[in-house]
Amino acid sequence: MVIVVNTLANSLPLNNITTGELADKYYNLFTPAAYVFSIWFVIYLLLGAFTIFQLLPKNRDKEFVKKIGWLFPLSCVFNSVWIFFWHYEYLLLSLLVMFGLLFSLIGIYLRLDIGRVYVEPGVKRYVHLPFS
């Protein structure tokens, strides 16, 4: 859902403006340079790997799936809703949804004890890395 919404937001684009064009429209001191947004390709690639990894039959009942619980789907909803609010320039709502996204990701990070506990290499690569 997240990848489809983000792709459509820029390929259609939603409200006839791309995400980057909107970022340029609202200049502020903490908006990164345009090339920095290319990191999202890596982030979505890692989240795609996580999605597949956690759905594998051998991983469905693993502890990390239980710890993450509803927070990952919730983060996906926040990410998708944010795009719509941002593209239609509901700035306050988009900011509130971004906080929801941030808190859901922090919750995942904390529940997984990333960097604090030993996990097998596959879990480290496909679960901890995407949320780091």
Side-chain angles (χ1 to χ4, degrees):
M1 172 178 74
V2 170
I3 292 171
V4 169
V5 168
N6 278 276
T7 300
L8 291 175
N10 289 295
S11 64
L12 288 177
L14 285 179
N15 201 27
N16 296 316
I17 192 164
T18 68
T19 306
E21 290 169 342
L22 272 166
D24 291 342
K25 180 178 177 180
Y26 294 103
Y27 175 78
N28 59 66
L29 295 175
F30 57 87
T31 299
Y35 73 88
V36 176
F37 288 97
S38 64
I39 190 67
W40 285 103
F41 174 77
V42 176
I43 292 169
Y44 289 141
L45 190 65
L46 289 169
L47 289 176
F50 161 74
T51 301
I52 293 167
F53 184 77
Q54 57 107 23
L55 289 174
L56 294 174
K58 69 177 186 172
N59 293 328
R60 288 187 189 154
D61 295 325
K62 295 270 179 115
E63 187 64 25
F64 72 83
V65 174
K66 294 173 189 163
K67 285 182 177 182
I68 292 171
W70 52 271
L71 286 174
F72 180 63
L74 183 63
S75 75
C76 292
V77 170
F78 281 136
N79 193 316
S80 298
V81 169
W82 169 80
I83 288 291
F84 284 98
F85 284 158
W86 176 246
H87 275 258
Y88 287 91
E89 300 186 63
Y90 295 113
L91 303 181
L92 183 57
L93 289 173
S94 94
L95 181 63
L96 292 173
V97 172
M98 284 297 285
F99 279 121
L101 175 58
L102 174 64
F103 292 134
S104 64
L105 293 173
I106 288 171
I108 292 169
Y109 187 89
L110 294 174
R111 283 184 178 191
L112 292 174
D113 286 323
I114 293 176
R116 301 172 85 188
V117 297
Y118 173 80
V119 293
E120 59 190 68
V123 172
K124 187 170 192 154
R125 186 178 312 112
Y126 297 113
V127 181
H128 284 208
L129 180 61
F131 293 108
S132 294

